[in-house]
């Protein structure tokens, strides 16, 4: 084989390799983007279908419930305009409590409940998820 | 009074760093007759910063809550050792430490004896650049984040230091990581100084040792941070692809590329431009890391502080320093000799792998910054999840690791004739070791896992082989030892990461007192949960018995701690570990009816993830303290 041919084949191999890699990378990028929404946005139907997303809000006071001895927790997440019942099976973060701003990751089921696979609370008691107002202001709005 | 002294010292440091830059760069006089003054100025500005830190530390120790920073980050109940660590517990103080370490690198450079007559201009100009970087950041402290700001009227008692930060590993994690970040300023300054002075490969040999030193600190800092996250953040993860972790990994990847590129530039006078560029990028990524951590622009577990003004200021600084450096690069860089490269020569393989390392950094950068850009464009809020990083990192890493092994057997300038014969054995050995591990020691999990384990052994064995290939002549071994150790460390880390992620078991479970559950082959039994008391916290301690094949092997005590009634509880995990596996229990909440939620983990070979970096660090230390001095003595 002539060196010229060798170089040509090498070049084609590189181009194909880079193209394939970019395709997979972009694909994975698209698949792993997590949208962040507030409850009102979810109610308005902005949530992606069949895909996990994140929802931020406050844990509504007196909404927390858990059966004795069970890992499944149930609470309501609200932004003052809309509210969703959230189910989560597992250990809640140390900072989780009623009135606290948190972010949940998961998807809606057919009943319209949010099934969370992850509950995030920040290591800051005064943390507010993006676009969420504190409880006092929320009450004025209601 | 003491805080005011600190404040004045900051201004002294500002002035002297500015002078250091102006005189050193040659505004006053082109010749280098004033170099002594410049070096002394760098010592003055560093000592001023040191004394300023001492002032802050003293104010912490005497609980001077009239200083805002202290009132926010300390209280009288804090143990003295954590009052000292609280100096860098939050934004202002940690930045002060950052700048002090930067100036310290400047002093070390100023009084380094590694420069000869040809390179003394290079030295002077690079110290000047160090002065400029210092100046920018001292200005930043004084303008946006003064740790000595007074509070009036001042409170009787301060707020507590975030209990998460009251931990020995975390107390030393920031200084080490920062030392690594700012250490990259030295190769950066040398590269810039090289552009404006001699403009050839001579800077590379000097920059290499500095770069390795900074790289050591970065490696140590990242490993410590990951270890801390594992046992302290509560849930037994060791890497989260959190923006702040990414911010430390990106400079590490590029610094690793830089270390290798500098070897080629020093020894073969090749890739000078590429090395300069890498030096600029590595330090810019460090600055970007500071921006990401300190501006609070990212939703991150690490952002304890946030302030948009600070973010804008740092962004402007990055613009000036990086932008300026890149423009200078474009104008001045001289390409090295044109030489055609043998495909399998050492320089080509090193170049190839440096490209892979940079691609890895670029992919992480995209995933980290994309959410920011989307938000700036008002196109909604998104985040990029760990699956993205876990997946795309494989594209540069799989070939990278393969070529690392090849590179070990290659020679400069030519395709080595012996290469194939040595590789055959190493390849066969890695295949056997890898397949035995993946299929017999553990069960078959997936093709990717099997490839990962084989590649880990490939790196490990190819790293080991130069030691045995040479006929045990001390002088030859000491020369290859640093590289060997670094590659062995990498191989161990890859092995640990692959095995832990593929064969680890993690789940949450509700257990009644006296009830047990199986995690892999191990049986975990919740014996009791009691209240207990620590030096500055109340705790609830669980007793968990672990047995294997009916035989008790350990009792561990996971805790929930409450440091202060107004702040939430902290989870202190119970860990039983040896080199083969980690067993991990974190105590969750009381679920009623005498049951508790527990987070349980079995993680095989987890320790290798931190043993690997430790051995890499060892390699770097051998290079700096043994190889260099010894080879000089022996030749």
């Amino acid at each position: 084989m002539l060196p010229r041919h060798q170089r040509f084949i090498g070049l084609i191999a590189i181009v194909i390799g880079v193209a394939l890699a970019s395709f997979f990378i972009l694909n994975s990028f698209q698949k792993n983007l997590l949208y962040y929404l507030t409850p009102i946005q979810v109610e308005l139907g902005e949530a992606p279908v069949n895909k996990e997303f994140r929802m931020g809000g406050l844990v509504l006071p007196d909404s927390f419930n858990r059966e004795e001895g069970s890992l499944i927790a149930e609470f309501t997440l609200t932004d003052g305009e809309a509210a969703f019942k959230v189910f989560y099976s597992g250990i809640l973060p140390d900072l989780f409590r009623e009135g606290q701003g948190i972010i949940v990751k998961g998807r809606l089921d057919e009943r319209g409940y949010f099934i969370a696979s992850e509950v995030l609370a920040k290591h800051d008691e005064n943390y507010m998820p993006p676009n969420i107002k504190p409880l006092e202001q929320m009450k004025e709005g209601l | 009074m003491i805080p005011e002294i600190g404040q004045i010292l900051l201004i002294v440091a500002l002035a002297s760093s500015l002078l250091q830059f102006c005189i050193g760069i040659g505004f006053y006089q082109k010749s280098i007759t004033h170099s002594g003054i410049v070096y002394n100025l760098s010592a003055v500005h560093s000592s001023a910063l040191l004394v300023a830190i001492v002032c802050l530390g003293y104010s912490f120790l005497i609980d001077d809550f009239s200083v805002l920073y202290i009132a926010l980050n300390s209280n009288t109940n804090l143990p003295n050792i954590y009052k000292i660590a609280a100096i860098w517990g939050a934004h202002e103080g940690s930045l002060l430490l950052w700048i002090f370490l930067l100036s310290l690198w400047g002093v070390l450079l100023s009084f380094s004896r590694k420069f000869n007559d040809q390179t003394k201009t290079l030295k002077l100009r690079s110290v000047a650049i160090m002065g400029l970087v210092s100046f920018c950041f001292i200005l930043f402290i004084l303008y946006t984040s003064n740790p000595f700001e007074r509070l009036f009227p001042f409170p009787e008692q301060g707020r507590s230091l975030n209990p998460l930060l009251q931990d020995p590993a975390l107390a030393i994690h920031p200084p080490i990581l920062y030392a690594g970040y700012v250490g990259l300023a030295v190769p950066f300054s040398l590269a810039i100084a090289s552009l404006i002075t001699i403009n050839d490969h001579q800077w590379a040999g000097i920059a290499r040792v500095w770069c390795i030193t900074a790289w050591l600190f970065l490696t140590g800092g990242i490993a410590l941070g990951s270890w801390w996250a594992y046992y302290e953040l509560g849930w037994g993860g060791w890497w989260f692809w959190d923006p702040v972790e990414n911010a430390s990994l990106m400079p590490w990847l590029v610094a690793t590329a830089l270390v290798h590129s500098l070897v080629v530039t020093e020894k073969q006078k090749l890739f000078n431009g590429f090395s300069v560029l890498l030096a600029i990028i590595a330090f810019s990524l460090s600055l970007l890391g500071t921006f990401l951590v300190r501006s609070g622009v990212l939703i991150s577990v690490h952002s304890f502080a946030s302030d948009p003004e600070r973010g804008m200021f740092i962004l402007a600084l990055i613009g000036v320093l990086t932008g300026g450096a890149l423009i200078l690069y474009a104008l001045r860089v001289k390409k090295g000799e044109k030489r055609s490269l043998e495909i399998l020569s050492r320089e080509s393989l090193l170049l190839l792998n440096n490209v892979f390392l940079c691609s890895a950094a670029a992919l992480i950068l995209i995933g980290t910054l994309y959410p920011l850009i989307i938000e700036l464009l008002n196109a909604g809020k998104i985040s990029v999840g760990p699956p993205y990083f876990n997946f795309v990192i494989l594209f540069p890493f799989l070939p990278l690791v393969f070529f690392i092994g090849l590179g070990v057997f290659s020679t400069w300038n030519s395709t080595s004739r012996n290469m194939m014969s040595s590789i055959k054995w190493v390849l066969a050995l890695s295949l056997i070791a890898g397949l035995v591990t993946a299929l017999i020691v553990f069960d078959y999990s997936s093709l990717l896992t099997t490839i990962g384990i084989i590649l880990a052994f490939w790196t490990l064995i190819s790293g080991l082989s130069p030691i045995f290939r040479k006929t045990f002549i001390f002088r030859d071994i000491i020369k290859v030892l640093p590289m060997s150790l670094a590659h062995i460390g990498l191989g161990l880390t890859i092995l640990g990461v692959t095995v832990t992620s593929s064969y680890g078991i993690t789940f949450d479970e509700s257990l009644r007192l006296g009830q047990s559950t199986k995690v892999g082959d191990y049986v975990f039994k919740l014996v009791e949960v009691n209240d207990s008391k620590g030096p500055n916290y109340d705790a609830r301690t669980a007793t968990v018995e672990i047995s294997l094949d009916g035989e008790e092997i350990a009792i561990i005590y996971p805790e929930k701690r409450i440091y202060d009634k107004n702040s939430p509880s902290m989870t202190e995990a119970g860990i039983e570990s040896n080199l083969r596996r980690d067993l991990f229990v974190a105590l969750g909440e009381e679920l009623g009816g005498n049951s508790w939620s527990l987070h349980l983990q079995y993680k095989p070979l987890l320790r290798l993830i931190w043993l690997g970096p430790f051995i890499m660090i060892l390699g770097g230390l051998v290079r700096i303290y043994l190889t260099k001095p010894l080879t000089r003595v022996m030749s």
Side-chain angles (χ1 to χ4, degrees):
Chain A
M1 215 172 357
L2 290 169
R4 198 155 47 99
H5 287 162
Q6 259 181 354
R7 219 174 297 155
F8 186 65
I9 291 171
L11 203 69
I12 289 185
I14 290 173
V15 169
I16 292 177
V18 168
L20 268 179
S22 325
F23 170 76
F24 280 121
I25 288 165
L26 284 175
N27 204 13
S28 145
F29 200 65
Q30 210 54 43
K31 258 198 310 217
N32 290 303
L33 285 185
L34 276 178
Y35 287 87
Y36 170 86
L37 300 164
T38 54
I40 183 68
Q41 286 176 303
V42 179
E43 188 159 285
L44 294 173
E46 289 180 34
V49 187
N50 283 331
K51 196 177 159 184
E52 288 205 320
F53 61 94
R54 286 180 169 189
M55 184 167 75
L58 298 187
V59 181
L60 194 69
D62 300 325
S63 73
F64 184 80
N65 186 28
R66 170 182 254 164
E67 268 177 51
E68 201 178 276
S70 158
L71 271 182
I72 298 171
E74 168 190 341
F75 54 89
T76 305
L77 200 66
T78 179
D79 59 356
E81 294 175 78
F84 281 90
K85 186 162 265 205
V86 180
F87 286 92
Y88 173 69
S89 169
I91 298 180
L92 293 162
D94 289 327
L95 268 153
F96 182 93
R97 52 177 147 177
E98 294 183 334
Q100 172 76 33
I102 61 159
I103 294 178
V104 289
K105 185 178 121 185
R107 57 180 93 205
L108 291 179
D109 69 359
E110 60 281 3
R111 294 167 297 176
Y113 294 152
F114 191 95
I115 309 300
S117 61
E118 202 179 351
V119 174
L120 302 163
K122 293 290 143 180
H123 286 286
D124 175 356
E125 296 137 66
N126 305 314
Y127 170 78
M128 277 295 143
N131 307 332
I132 299 292
K133 287 172 292 195
L135 202 59
E136 303 80 49
Q137 289 174 32
M138 222 181 245
K139 280 184 182 141
E140 287 162 25
L142 278 173
Chain B
M1 187 50 199
I2 297 290
E4 275 67 36
I5 294 178
Q7 172 85 51
I8 290 166
L9 284 166
L10 279 184
I11 296 168
V12 170
L14 182 79
S16 47
S17 63
L18 183 63
L19 278 176
Q20 178 186 336
F21 169 65
C22 291
I23 302 176
I25 206 75
F27 286 156
Y28 176 68
Q29 192 171 34
K30 275 266 178 283
S31 74
I32 58 164
T33 42
H34 293 82
S35 56
I37 300 175
V38 175
Y39 302 147
N40 287 328
L41 276 170
S42 110
V44 168
H45 111 242
S46 186
S47 340
L49 289 170
L50 176 63
V51 181
I53 290 183
V54 172
C55 288
L56 189 61
Y58 177 76
S59 304
F60 262 107
L61 285 177
I62 61 163
D63 298 312
D64 186 352
F65 298 127
S66 68
V67 177
L68 177 64
Y69 182 68
I70 295 172
L72 287 179
N73 294 294
S74 178
N75 63 25
T76 48
N77 300 326
L78 203 62
N80 273 342
I81 181 81
Y82 291 120
K83 281 182 185 168
I84 300 291
I87 296 174
W88 53 83
H91 170 75
E92 287 85 348
S94 63
L95 209 66
L96 185 59
L97 179 74
W98 196 97
I99 298 177
F100 165 66
L101 292 171
L102 176 72
S103 70
L104 198 61
W105 283 102
V107 174
L108 292 174
L109 185 65
S110 296
F111 296 96
S112 158
R113 290 162 188 275
K114 300 283 155 57
F115 294 85
N116 55 28
D117 279 349
Q118 274 180 309
T119 48
K120 61 185 182 197
T121 319
L122 180 77
K123 176 181 174 185
L124 180 64
R125 301 294 186 244
S126 60
V127 172
I129 305 290
M130 291 294 285
L132 177 65
V133 179
S134 257
F135 171 76
C136 291
F137 277 90
I138 300 172
L139 199 64
F140 173 67
I141 277 208
L142 285 169
Y143 185 65
T144 69
S145 12
N146 191 340
F148 296 108
E149 202 171 304
R150 291 281 195 172
L151 179 65
F152 190 83
F154 60 85
E156 289 283 295
Q157 178 60 286
R159 259 204 345 204
S160 178
L161 177 72
N162 190 330
L164 266 179
L165 306 181
Q166 292 182 35
D167 176 89
L170 198 68
I172 55 166
H173 160 65
I176 291 181
L177 194 59
Y178 287 177
Y181 273 159
V182 294
L184 290 176
V186 180
F188 171 81
S189 303
L190 284 166
I192 300 298
S194 157
L195 283 180
I196 52 185
T197 56
I198 44 180
N199 206 356
D200 68 4
H201 65 274
Q202 284 184 65
W203 70 286
I206 301 162
R208 192 161 139 221
V209 179
W210 295 96
C211 188
I212 292 175
T213 318
W215 178 90
L216 289 179
F217 282 107
L218 267 183
T219 312
I222 295 173
L224 263 179
S226 145
W227 182 50
W228 170 77
Y230 168 67
Y231 73 78
E232 183 71 33
L233 275 183
W235 311 112
W238 46 271
W239 193 261
F240 300 90
W241 295 110
D242 181 275
V244 176
E245 291 169 330
N246 296 348
S248 64
L249 187 61
M250 290 184 285
W252 186 86
L253 290 167
V254 178
T256 309
L258 179 59
V259 169
H260 291 95
S261 183
L262 285 172
V263 180
V264 188
T265 307
E266 181 190 4
K267 299 209 164 137
Q268 300 292 310
K269 306 187 177 62
L270 278 169
F271 311 152
N272 183 45
F274 189 51
S275 294
V276 170
L277 197 59
L278 284 177
I280 295 173
I281 293 173
F283 184 56
S284 303
L285 286 172
S286 295
L287 293 179
L288 186 74
T290 314
F291 165 73
L292 290 180
V293 182
R294 290 305 163 199
S295 64
V297 290
L298 295 163
I299 308 174
S300 152
V301 282
H302 287 72
S303 17
F304 299 110
S306 61
D307 185 340
E309 191 181 57
R310 287 170 185 165
M312 288 318 292
F313 201 118
I314 300 184
L315 209 54
L317 282 185
I318 297 177
V320 170
L321 290 172
T322 310
L326 288 176
I327 290 171
L328 199 63
Y329 171 80
L331 293 178
R332 292 275 302 167
V333 74
K334 258 201 305 226
K335 296 270 151 45
E337 296 171 47
K338 275 229 166 63
R339 223 191 278 170
S340 61
L341 294 176
E342 279 278 339
I343 291 207
L344 288 177
S345 66
R346 181 163 284 183
E347 55 271 26
S348 322
L349 289 171
L350 282 172
L351 178 67
L352 192 65
N353 266 357
N354 287 340
V355 172
F356 284 130
L357 281 168
C358 292
S359 327
L363 287 170
I364 297 173
L365 187 69
I366 293 170
T368 311
L369 291 188
Y370 188 73
L372 271 184
I373 295 165
I374 290 298
E375 204 179 332
L376 279 177
L377 297 173
N378 263 329
K381 275 191 174 295
I382 56 153
S383 56
V384 178
Y388 162 78
F389 294 103
N390 286 333
F391 178 71
V392 300
I393 204 75
L394 294 175
F395 283 91
F397 252 77
L398 290 178
L400 172 77
V401 174
F402 175 70
F403 286 118
I404 282 175
L406 279 191
V408 172
F409 301 104
S410 63
T411 48
W412 296 116
N413 286 323
S414 59
T415 306
S416 162
R417 268 190 227 122
N418 306 332
M419 201 162 148
M420 277 328 285
S421 62
S422 335
I423 284 179
K424 257 194 315 218
W425 289 108
V426 174
L427 200 61
L429 222 56
S430 323
L431 271 172
I432 294 169
L435 288 173
V436 166
T437 312
L439 305 177
I440 298 173
V441 179
F442 300 96
D443 286 331
Y444 176 77
S445 149
S446 73
L447 183 64
L448 195 62
T449 306
T450 314
I451 295 175
I453 293 174
I454 292 172
L455 281 176
F457 279 107
W458 165 244
T459 316
L460 202 77
I461 297 172
S462 64
L464 265 170
S465 64
I467 301 180
F468 294 102
R469 198 173 40 164
K470 308 267 170 171
T471 43
F472 284 104
I473 301 168
F474 177 70
R475 191 172 147 179
D476 287 342
I477 290 179
I478 202 79
K479 265 190 186 158
V480 293
L481 197 57
M483 181 275 279
S484 279
L485 287 173
H487 286 194
I488 291 167
L490 180 69
L492 289 176
T493 307
I494 298 173
L495 189 63
V497 170
T498 316
V499 169
T500 295
S501 339
S502 309
Y503 300 102
I505 301 171
T506 301
F507 60 95
D508 292 350
E509 177 109 334
S510 153
L511 285 186
R512 263 174 288 114
L513 296 182
Q515 202 186 359
S516 42
T517 187
K518 243 183 150 190
V519 185
D521 297 335
Y522 297 87
V523 176
F524 288 55
K525 181 175 174 193
L526 179 64
V527 180
E528 53 181 5
V529 180
N530 292 318
D531 288 340
S532 58
K533 235 178 154 27
N536 58 345
Y537 59 84
D538 292 327
R540 210 160 233 187
T541 311
T543 308
V544 178
E545 246 176 47
I546 304 174
S547 49
L548 179 64
D549 303 329
E551 221 171 301
E552 184 187 308
I553 53 165
I555 300 179
I556 52 178
Y557 305 95
E559 280 185 343
K560 267 269 186 258
R561 290 183 184 171
I562 296 175
Y563 281 84
D564 161 10
K565 279 174 204 67
N566 302 318
S567 61
S569 57
M570 299 277 311
T571 303
E572 199 75 15
I575 299 170
E576 147 67 21
S577 72
N578 60 29
L579 216 51
R580 270 180 44 228
R581 85 288 174 278
D582 262 49
L583 302 168
F584 179 107
V585 180
L587 182 64
E589 311 116 278
E590 186 165 9
L591 299 171
N594 265 339
S595 28
W596 294 76
S597 56
L598 294 171
H599 180 76
L600 308 162
Q601 281 192 348
Y602 157 71
K603 295 269 164 175
L605 298 189
L606 183 72
R607 294 285 141 173
L608 293 190
I609 295 176
W610 304 301
L611 181 68
F614 179 76
I615 293 177
M616 290 186 210
I617 291 173
L618 220 58
L621 290 177
V622 168
R623 171 67 182 67
I624 296 171
Y625 292 108
L626 278 177
T627 311
K628 193 100 198 223
L630 282 179
T631 41
R632 196 175 304 142
V633 170
M634 285 186 289
S635 57

